[in-house]
Amino acid sequence: MEKDKILIAQQPNFTYNLEGRYTETLEGQRLATNNSIATPIKHGIYMAFGSDNLPIGPMVGLYAAVTRKGESGKVYGASEAVSIKDAITMYTRNGAFLTREEKLKGTLEAGKLADMIVLPEDPLSIAPEKLLGLKVDMTIVGGRILYDRSRPV
């Protein structure tokens, strides 16, 4: 990566859960391109995703990143959407790179932390609308099961 590359953390869930605030204060193209994803990437900006506003967790962010839908179901700037694969990468590998922890986490490889979740369905193969309803079956941090929906840990 070039030394002067721009790195940003984007919150795709804002498109969903801050929809009301955005529609009150923005209109037209400004509303459609608010919280852009695809355009900055096309201009060479390295983007990682986070979830720092309620609801906490990546499912809402994944949904908003691939559909560009607000909570009402209205689409804002469909051309700013990214694929589910790219959205997952921005939450995982790109996030680790942004915090300079890519040798420690961000991808599933021998020698790295085994921080991951297990879902009941493959997010790469389901309809984007199903992302909002996916419940985590298991959470593993540092190779230890911290949550298992099927049984108390």
Side-chain angles (χ1 to χ4, degrees), residues 10-90:
Q10 183 67 289
Q11 317 307 317
N13 55 309
F14 286 5
T15 300
Y16 182 85
N17 62 318
L18 295 179
E19 175 185 26
R21 181 179 298 169
Y22 293 150
T23 58
E24 288 174 12
T25 58
L26 301 170
E27 57 187 33
Q29 188 66 11
R30 294 176 84 186
L31 179 58
T33 58
N34 181 55
N35 207 28
S36 295
I37 300 170
T39 298
I41 293 169
K42 287 175 191 165
H43 289 283
I45 295 173
Y46 189 90
M47 186 178 300
F49 285 165
S51 303
D52 73 349
N53 191 342
L54 296 175
I56 300 299
M59 291 308 157
V60 171
L62 289 171
Y63 171 79
V66 301
T67 66
R68 294 291 297 174
K69 289 182 180 179
E71 192 171 7
S72 71
K74 182 174 179 180
V75 176
Y76 298 95
S79 64
E80 291 299 330
V82 295
S83 71
I84 186 66
K85 182 178 179 189
D86 287 345
I88 291 170
T89 298
M90 286 184 246

Coordinates of all heavy atoms in Angstrom, one line a residue, residues 10-90:
Q10 N -15.7 3.7 7.7 CA -17.0 4.1 7.3 C -18.0 3.3 8.1 O -17.8 2.2 8.5 CB -17.2 3.9 5.8 CG -18.5 4.3 5.2 CD -18.7 5.8 5.2 OE1 -18.9 6.4 6.3 NE2 -18.7 6.4 4.0
Q11 N -19.2 3.9 8.4 CA -20.2 3.3 9.2 C -21.4 3.0 8.2 O -22.3 3.9 8.2 CB -20.6 4.1 10.4 CG -19.5 4.7 11.1 CD -18.4 3.8 11.6 OE1 -18.7 2.7 12.0 NE2 -17.2 4.1 11.4
P12 N -21.5 1.9 7.5 CA -22.6 1.7 6.6 C -24.0 1.6 7.3 O -25.0 1.9 6.6 CB -22.3 0.4 5.9 CG -21.4 -0.3 6.8 CD -20.6 0.8 7.5
N13 N -24.0 1.3 8.5 CA -25.3 1.2 9.2 C -25.9 2.5 9.4 O -27.1 2.6 9.6 CB -25.1 0.5 10.6 CG -24.1 1.1 11.5 OD1 -22.9 1.4 11.0 ND2 -24.4 1.4 12.7
F14 N -25.2 3.6 9.3 CA -25.8 5.0 9.4 C -26.9 5.2 8.3 O -27.9 5.8 8.6 CB -24.7 6.1 9.2 CG -23.8 6.2 10.4 CD1 -23.8 5.4 11.5 CD2 -22.9 7.3 10.3 CE1 -23.0 5.6 12.5 CE2 -22.0 7.5 11.4 CZ -22.1 6.6 12.5
T15 N -26.7 4.6 7.1 CA -27.7 4.7 6.1 C -29.0 4.2 6.5 O -30.1 4.7 6.2 CB -27.2 4.0 4.8 OG1 -26.0 4.6 4.4 CG2 -28.2 4.1 3.7
Y16 N -29.0 3.1 7.3 CA -30.2 2.5 7.8 C -30.7 3.2 9.0 O -31.8 3.7 9.0 CB -29.8 1.0 8.2 CG -31.0 0.2 8.7 CD1 -31.9 -0.4 7.8 CD2 -31.2 0.1 10.0 CE1 -33.0 -1.1 8.2 CE2 -32.3 -0.7 10.5 CZ -33.2 -1.3 9.6 OH -34.2 -2.0 10.0
N17 N -29.9 3.3 10.1 CA -30.5 3.7 11.4 C -30.5 5.3 11.6 O -31.1 5.7 12.5 CB -29.8 3.0 12.5 CG -28.3 3.3 12.7 OD1 -27.6 3.3 11.7 ND2 -27.9 3.5 13.9
L18 N -29.8 6.0 10.7 CA -29.9 7.5 10.8 C -30.7 8.1 9.6 O -30.6 9.3 9.3 CB -28.5 8.1 10.9 CG -27.7 7.8 12.1 CD1 -26.3 8.4 12.0 CD2 -28.4 8.2 13.4
E19 N -31.5 7.2 9.0 CA -32.2 7.6 7.8 C -33.1 8.9 8.1 O -33.1 9.8 7.3 CB -33.1 6.5 7.3 CG -34.0 6.8 6.2 CD -35.0 5.7 5.8 OE1 -35.3 4.9 6.7 OE2 -35.4 5.7 4.7
G20 N -33.8 8.9 9.2 CA -34.6 10.0 9.5 C -33.9 11.3 9.6 O -34.3 12.4 9.1
R21 N -32.8 11.3 10.3 CA -31.9 12.5 10.4 C -31.5 13.0 9.0 O -31.5 14.2 8.7 CB -30.7 12.2 11.3 CG -29.9 13.4 11.5 CD -28.7 13.2 12.4 NE -29.2 12.8 13.7 CZ -28.4 12.3 14.7 NH1 -27.1 12.1 14.5 NH2 -28.9 11.9 15.8
Y22 N -31.0 12.0 8.2 CA -30.5 12.4 6.9 C -31.7 13.0 6.0 O -31.4 14.0 5.3 CB -29.9 11.2 6.2 CG -28.6 10.7 6.8 CD1 -28.3 9.4 6.7 CD2 -27.8 11.6 7.5 CE1 -27.1 8.9 7.3 CE2 -26.6 11.1 8.1 CZ -26.3 9.8 8.0 OH -25.1 9.4 8.6
T23 N -32.8 12.4 6.0 CA -33.9 12.9 5.2 C -34.4 14.2 5.7 O -35.0 15.0 4.9 CB -35.1 11.9 5.1 OG1 -35.6 11.6 6.4 CG2 -34.7 10.6 4.4
E24 N -34.2 14.6 6.9 CA -34.6 15.9 7.5 C -33.6 17.0 7.0 O -34.0 18.1 6.9 CB -34.7 15.9 9.0 CG -35.9 15.1 9.5 CD -35.8 15.0 11.0 OE1 -35.0 15.7 11.7 OE2 -36.6 14.2 11.6
T25 N -32.4 16.6 6.8 CA -31.4 17.6 6.6 C -30.8 17.6 5.2 O -30.1 18.6 4.8 CB -30.2 17.5 7.6 OG1 -29.7 16.2 7.5 CG2 -30.7 17.7 9.0
L26 N -31.0 16.6 4.4 CA -30.4 16.5 3.1 C -31.5 16.2 2.0 O -32.5 15.7 2.4 CB -29.4 15.3 3.0 CG -28.2 15.4 4.0 CD1 -27.4 14.1 4.0 CD2 -27.3 16.6 3.7
E27 N -31.1 16.5 0.8 CA -32.1 16.2 -0.3 C -31.3 15.9 -1.6 O -30.1 16.2 -1.7 CB -33.1 17.3 -0.5 CG -32.5 18.7 -0.8 CD -33.5 19.8 -0.8 OE1 -34.5 19.8 0.0 OE2 -33.3 20.7 -1.6
G28 N -32.0 15.4 -2.5 CA -31.5 15.2 -3.9 C -30.2 14.3 -3.8 O -30.1 13.3 -3.1
Q29 N -29.2 14.8 -4.6 CA -27.9 14.1 -4.7 C -27.2 14.0 -3.4 O -26.5 13.1 -3.1 CB -27.1 14.8 -5.8 CG -25.8 14.1 -6.2 CD -26.1 12.7 -6.9 OE1 -27.2 12.4 -7.3 NE2 -25.0 11.9 -7.0
R30 N -27.3 15.0 -2.6 CA -26.6 15.0 -1.3 C -27.2 13.9 -0.4 O -26.4 13.2 0.3 CB -26.8 16.4 -0.6 CG -26.1 17.5 -1.3 CD -26.3 18.8 -0.7 NE -25.3 18.9 0.4 CZ -25.3 19.9 1.2 NH1 -26.3 20.9 1.1 NH2 -24.4 20.0 2.2
L31 N -28.4 13.6 -0.5 CA -29.0 12.5 0.3 C -28.6 11.2 -0.3 O -28.3 10.3 0.4 CB -30.6 12.7 0.3 CG -31.3 11.6 1.0 CD1 -30.9 11.4 2.5 CD2 -32.8 11.8 0.9
A32 N -28.7 11.1 -1.7 CA -28.4 9.8 -2.4 C -26.9 9.4 -2.2 O -26.6 8.2 -2.1 CB -28.7 10.0 -3.8
T33 N -26.0 10.4 -2.1 CA -24.6 10.0 -2.0 C -24.0 10.2 -0.5 O -22.8 10.0 -0.3 CB -23.7 10.9 -2.9 OG1 -23.9 12.3 -2.6 CG2 -24.1 10.6 -4.4
N34 N -24.9 10.5 0.4 CA -24.5 10.5 1.8 C -24.0 9.2 2.2 O -24.6 8.1 1.9 CB -25.7 11.0 2.7 CG -25.3 11.1 4.1 OD1 -24.4 11.8 4.5 ND2 -26.1 10.4 4.9
N35 N -23.0 9.1 3.0 CA -22.4 7.9 3.5 C -22.0 7.0 2.4 O -22.2 5.8 2.3 CB -23.4 7.2 4.4 CG -22.8 6.3 5.5 OD1 -21.7 6.5 5.9 ND2 -23.5 5.2 5.8
S36 N -21.3 7.6 1.4 CA -20.9 6.9 0.2 C -19.9 5.7 0.5 O -19.1 5.8 1.4 CB -20.2 7.9 -0.7 OG -21.1 8.8 -1.2
I37 N -20.0 4.7 -0.3 CA -19.1 3.6 -0.2 C -18.4 3.4 -1.5 O -17.2 3.4 -1.6 CB -19.9 2.3 0.2 CG1 -20.5 2.5 1.6 CG2 -18.9 1.1 0.3 CD1 -21.5 1.4 2.0
A38 N -19.1 3.1 -2.6 CA -18.5 2.8 -3.9 C -17.7 3.9 -4.5 O -16.6 3.6 -5.0 CB -19.6 2.3 -4.9
T39 N -18.1 5.1 -4.4 CA -17.4 6.2 -5.0 C -16.0 6.4 -4.3 O -15.0 6.5 -5.1 CB -18.2 7.5 -4.9 OG1 -19.4 7.4 -5.7 CG2 -17.4 8.7 -5.5
P40 N -15.9 6.5 -3.0 CA -14.5 6.6 -2.5 C -13.6 5.5 -2.9 O -12.4 5.7 -3.2 CB -14.8 6.7 -1.0 CG -16.2 7.1 -0.8 CD -16.9 6.5 -2.0
I41 N -14.1 4.3 -2.9 CA -13.3 3.1 -3.3 C -12.8 3.3 -4.8 O -11.7 3.0 -5.1 CB -14.1 1.8 -3.1 CG1 -14.3 1.6 -1.6 CG2 -13.3 0.6 -3.7 CD1 -15.3 0.5 -1.3
K42 N -13.7 3.7 -5.6 CA -13.4 4.0 -7.0 C -12.3 5.0 -7.2 O -11.5 5.0 -8.1 CB -14.6 4.4 -7.9 CG -15.6 3.3 -8.1 CD -16.8 3.8 -8.8 CE -17.9 2.7 -8.8 NZ -19.2 3.2 -9.2
H43 N -12.2 5.9 -6.2 CA -11.1 6.9 -6.2 C -9.9 6.5 -5.5 O -9.0 7.4 -5.2 CB -11.7 8.3 -5.7 CG -12.7 8.9 -6.6 ND1 -12.3 9.6 -7.8 CD2 -14.1 8.9 -6.6 CE1 -13.4 10.0 -8.4 NE2 -14.5 9.6 -7.7
G44 N -9.8 5.3 -5.1 CA -8.6 4.8 -4.5 C -8.5 4.9 -3.0 O -7.4 4.7 -2.4
I45 N -9.6 5.2 -2.3 CA -9.6 5.4 -0.9 C -9.8 4.0 -0.3 O -10.7 3.3 -0.7 CB -10.7 6.4 -0.4 CG1 -10.3 7.8 -0.9 CG2 -10.9 6.4 1.1 CD1 -11.4 8.8 -0.7
Y46 N -9.0 3.6 0.7 CA -9.1 2.3 1.4 C -10.1 2.5 2.5 O -10.0 3.3 3.3 CB -7.7 2.0 1.9 CG -7.6 0.6 2.4 CD1 -7.2 -0.4 1.6 CD2 -7.8 0.3 3.8 CE1 -7.1 -1.7 2.1 CE2 -7.7 -1.0 4.2 CZ -7.3 -2.0 3.4 OH -7.2 -3.3 3.9
M47 N -11.1 1.6 2.5 CA -12.2 1.7 3.4 C -12.3 0.5 4.3 O -12.3 -0.6 3.8 CB -13.5 2.0 2.6 CG -14.7 2.3 3.5 SD -16.2 2.6 2.6 CE -15.7 4.0 1.6
A48 N -12.5 0.7 5.6 CA -12.9 -0.3 6.5 C -14.2 0.1 7.1 O -14.6 1.2 7.2 CB -11.8 -0.4 7.6
F49 N -15.0 -0.9 7.5 CA -16.3 -0.7 8.1 C -16.3 -0.9 9.6 O -15.5 -1.7 10.1 CB -17.4 -1.7 7.6 CG -17.8 -1.4 6.2 CD1 -18.5 -2.4 5.5 CD2 -17.6 -0.2 5.5 CE1 -19.0 -2.2 4.2 CE2 -18.1 0.0 4.3 CZ -18.8 -0.9 3.6
G50 N -17.1 -0.2 10.3 CA -17.3 -0.3 11.7 C -18.8 -0.2 12.0 O -19.6 0.1 11.1
S51 N -19.1 -0.4 13.3 CA -20.5 -0.3 13.7 C -20.6 0.5 15.0 O -20.9 -0.1 16.0 CB -21.1 -1.7 13.9 OG -21.0 -2.5 12.8
D52 N -20.4 1.8 14.9 CA -20.3 2.6 16.2 C -21.5 3.3 16.5 O -21.5 4.2 17.3 CB -19.1 3.5 16.2 CG -19.3 4.7 15.3 OD1 -20.2 4.7 14.5 OD2 -18.4 5.6 15.4
N53 N -22.7 2.9 16.0 CA -23.9 3.6 16.3 C -25.0 2.5 16.3 O -24.9 1.5 15.6 CB -24.3 4.6 15.3 CG -25.4 5.5 15.7 OD1 -26.2 5.2 16.6 ND2 -25.5 6.7 15.0
L54 N -25.9 2.6 17.2 CA -27.0 1.6 17.4 C -27.7 1.4 16.0 O -27.9 2.3 15.3 CB -28.0 2.0 18.4 CG -27.4 2.1 19.8 CD1 -28.4 2.6 20.8 CD2 -26.8 0.8 20.3
P55 N -28.1 0.2 15.7 CA -27.8 -1.0 16.5 C -26.3 -1.5 16.3 O -25.8 -1.4 15.2 CB -28.7 -2.1 15.9 CG -29.0 -1.6 14.5 CD -28.9 -0.1 14.5
I56 N -25.7 -1.9 17.4 CA -24.3 -2.4 17.3 C -24.3 -3.7 16.7 O -25.1 -4.6 16.9 CB -23.8 -2.5 18.7 CG1 -23.8 -1.1 19.4 CG2 -22.4 -3.0 18.7 CD1 -23.0 0.0 18.7
G57 N -23.4 -4.0 15.8 CA -23.2 -5.2 15.1 C -23.2 -5.0 13.6 O -23.8 -4.1 13.1
P58 N -22.6 -6.0 12.9 CA -22.4 -5.8 11.5 C -23.6 -6.1 10.6 O -23.6 -5.7 9.4 CB -21.2 -6.7 11.2 CG -21.4 -7.8 12.2 CD -21.9 -7.1 13.4
M59 N -24.6 -6.8 11.0 CA -25.7 -7.3 10.1 C -26.4 -6.1 9.5 O -26.7 -6.1 8.3 CB -26.7 -8.2 10.8 CG -26.1 -9.5 11.2 SD -25.3 -10.3 9.8 CE -24.2 -11.4 10.6
V60 N -26.7 -5.1 10.3 CA -27.4 -3.9 9.7 C -26.4 -3.2 8.8 O -26.9 -2.7 7.7 CB -27.8 -2.9 10.9 CG1 -28.3 -1.6 10.3 CG2 -28.9 -3.6 11.7
G61 N -25.2 -3.1 9.1 CA -24.2 -2.5 8.2 C -24.0 -3.2 6.9 O -23.9 -2.6 5.8
L62 N -24.0 -4.5 7.0 CA -23.9 -5.4 5.8 C -25.1 -5.1 4.9 O -25.0 -4.9 3.7 CB -23.7 -6.8 6.1 CG -22.4 -7.3 6.7 CD1 -22.5 -8.7 7.2 CD2 -21.3 -7.1 5.7
Y63 N -26.2 -5.2 5.5 CA -27.5 -4.9 4.8 C -27.5 -3.6 4.1 O -27.8 -3.5 2.9 CB -28.7 -5.1 5.7 CG -30.0 -4.6 5.2 CD1 -30.7 -5.5 4.3 CD2 -30.5 -3.4 5.5 CE1 -31.9 -5.1 3.8 CE2 -31.8 -3.0 4.9 CZ -32.5 -3.9 4.1 OH -33.7 -3.5 3.6
A64 N -27.2 -2.5 4.8 CA -27.2 -1.2 4.2 C -26.1 -1.0 3.2 O -26.3 -0.3 2.2 CB -27.0 -0.1 5.3
A65 N -25.0 -1.7 3.3 CA -23.9 -1.6 2.3 C -24.3 -2.2 1.0 O -23.9 -1.7 0.0 CB -22.6 -2.2 2.9
V66 N -25.0 -3.3 1.1 CA -25.3 -4.0 -0.2 C -26.7 -3.6 -0.8 O -26.9 -3.7 -2.0 CB -25.3 -5.5 0.0 CG1 -23.9 -6.0 0.4 CG2 -26.3 -6.1 0.9
T67 N -27.5 -3.0 0.0 CA -28.9 -2.6 -0.5 C -29.0 -1.0 -0.6 O -29.8 -0.6 -1.3 CB -30.0 -3.1 0.4 OG1 -29.9 -2.4 1.7 CG2 -30.0 -4.6 0.6
R68 N -28.3 -0.3 0.3 CA -28.4 1.1 0.4 C -29.8 1.5 0.8 O -30.2 2.6 0.6 CB -28.0 1.9 -0.9 CG -26.6 1.7 -1.3 CD -25.6 2.4 -0.5 NE -25.9 3.9 -0.5 CZ -25.3 4.8 0.2 NH1 -24.4 4.4 1.1 NH2 -25.5 6.0 0.1
K69 N -30.4 0.7 1.6 CA -31.8 0.9 2.1 C -31.7 1.5 3.5 O -30.9 1.0 4.4 CB -32.6 -0.4 2.1 CG -33.0 -0.8 0.7 CD -33.9 -2.0 0.8 CE -34.3 -2.5 -0.6 NZ -35.1 -3.7 -0.6
G70 N -32.6 2.4 3.8 CA -32.9 2.9 5.1 C -33.8 2.0 5.8 O -34.4 1.0 5.2
E71 N -34.1 2.3 7.0 CA -35.1 1.5 7.8 C -36.4 1.4 7.2 O -37.1 0.4 7.3 CB -35.2 2.0 9.2 CG -35.8 1.1 10.2 CD -35.7 1.6 11.6 OE1 -35.3 2.7 11.9 OE2 -36.2 0.8 12.5
S72 N -36.8 2.5 6.4 CA -38.1 2.5 5.8 C -38.2 1.6 4.6 O -39.2 1.3 4.0 CB -38.4 3.9 5.3 OG -37.6 4.3 4.2
G73 N -37.0 1.1 4.1 CA -36.9 0.3 2.9 C -36.6 1.1 1.6 O -36.4 0.6 0.6
K74 N -36.6 2.5 1.8 CA -36.2 3.3 0.6 C -34.7 3.2 0.3 O -33.9 3.1 1.2 CB -36.6 4.8 0.9 CG -36.3 5.7 -0.2 CD -36.8 7.1 0.0 CE -36.4 7.9 -1.2 NZ -36.7 9.2 -1.2
V75 N -34.4 3.2 -1.0 CA -33.0 3.1 -1.4 C -32.4 4.5 -1.6 O -33.0 5.3 -2.2 CB -32.9 2.3 -2.7 CG1 -31.5 2.3 -3.3 CG2 -33.4 0.9 -2.6
Y76 N -31.2 4.7 -1.1 CA -30.5 5.9 -1.2 C -29.2 5.7 -1.9 O -28.3 5.1 -1.4 CB -30.2 6.5 0.2 CG -31.4 6.8 1.0 CD1 -32.0 5.9 1.9 CD2 -32.1 8.0 0.8 CE1 -33.1 6.2 2.6 CE2 -33.3 8.3 1.5 CZ -33.8 7.4 2.4 OH -35.0 7.6 3.0
G77 N -29.1 6.2 -3.1 CA -27.9 6.1 -3.9 C -27.5 4.6 -4.2 O -26.5 4.2 -3.8
A78 N -28.3 3.9 -5.0 CA -28.1 2.5 -5.3 C -26.7 2.3 -5.9 O -26.1 1.3 -5.7 CB -29.1 2.0 -6.3
S79 N -26.2 3.3 -6.6 CA -24.8 3.2 -7.2 C -23.7 3.1 -6.1 O -22.6 2.8 -6.5 CB -24.6 4.3 -8.2 OG -24.6 5.5 -7.5
E80 N -24.0 3.5 -4.9 CA -23.0 3.4 -3.8 C -23.0 2.1 -3.1 O -22.1 1.9 -2.2 CB -23.3 4.5 -2.8 CG -23.1 5.9 -3.3 CD -21.7 6.2 -3.7 OE1 -20.8 5.6 -3.2 OE2 -21.5 7.0 -4.6
A81 N -23.8 1.1 -3.6 CA -23.8 -0.2 -3.0 C -22.5 -1.0 -3.4 O -21.9 -0.7 -4.4 CB -25.0 -1.0 -3.4
V82 N -22.1 -1.9 -2.5 CA -21.0 -2.9 -2.8 C -21.5 -4.3 -2.7 O -22.6 -4.5 -2.1 CB -19.8 -2.6 -1.9 CG1 -19.2 -1.3 -2.1 CG2 -20.2 -2.8 -0.4
S83 N -20.8 -5.2 -3.1 CA -21.2 -6.7 -3.0 C -21.0 -7.1 -1.5 O -20.3 -6.5 -0.7 CB -20.2 -7.5 -3.9 OG -18.9 -7.6 -3.3
I84 N -21.7 -8.2 -1.2 CA -21.7 -8.7 0.1 C -20.2 -9.2 0.5 O -19.7 -9.0 1.6 CB -22.7 -9.8 0.4 CG1 -22.7 -10.3 1.8 CG2 -22.5 -11.0 -0.5 CD1 -23.2 -9.3 2.8
K85 N -19.6 -9.7 -0.5 CA -18.2 -10.2 -0.3 C -17.3 -9.0 0.0 O -16.5 -9.0 1.0 CB -17.7 -10.9 -1.5 CG -16.3 -11.4 -1.4 CD -15.8 -12.2 -2.6 CE -14.4 -12.7 -2.4 NZ -13.8 -13.2 -3.6
D86 N -17.4 -7.9 -0.7 CA -16.6 -6.7 -0.4 C -17.0 -6.1 1.0 O -16.1 -5.7 1.7 CB -16.8 -5.6 -1.5 CG -16.1 -6.0 -2.8 OD1 -15.2 -6.9 -2.8 OD2 -16.4 -5.4 -3.8
A87 N -18.3 -6.1 1.3 CA -18.7 -5.6 2.6 C -18.1 -6.4 3.7 O -17.7 -5.8 4.7 CB -20.2 -5.5 2.7
I88 N -18.1 -7.7 3.6 CA -17.5 -8.5 4.7 C -16.1 -8.3 4.8 O -15.5 -8.2 5.9 CB -17.8 -10.0 4.4 CG1 -19.3 -10.3 4.6 CG2 -17.0 -10.9 5.3 CD1 -19.8 -11.7 4.1
T89 N -15.4 -8.1 3.7 CA -13.9 -7.8 3.7 C -13.7 -6.5 4.4 O -12.7 -6.4 5.1 CB -13.4 -7.8 2.2 OG1 -13.6 -9.1 1.7 CG2 -11.9 -7.4 2.2
M90 N -14.5 -5.5 4.1 CA -14.3 -4.2 4.8 C -14.5 -4.3 6.3 O -13.9 -3.5 7.0 CB -15.2 -3.2 4.1 CG -14.7 -2.8 2.8 SD -15.7 -1.5 2.0 CE -16.3 -2.4 0.6

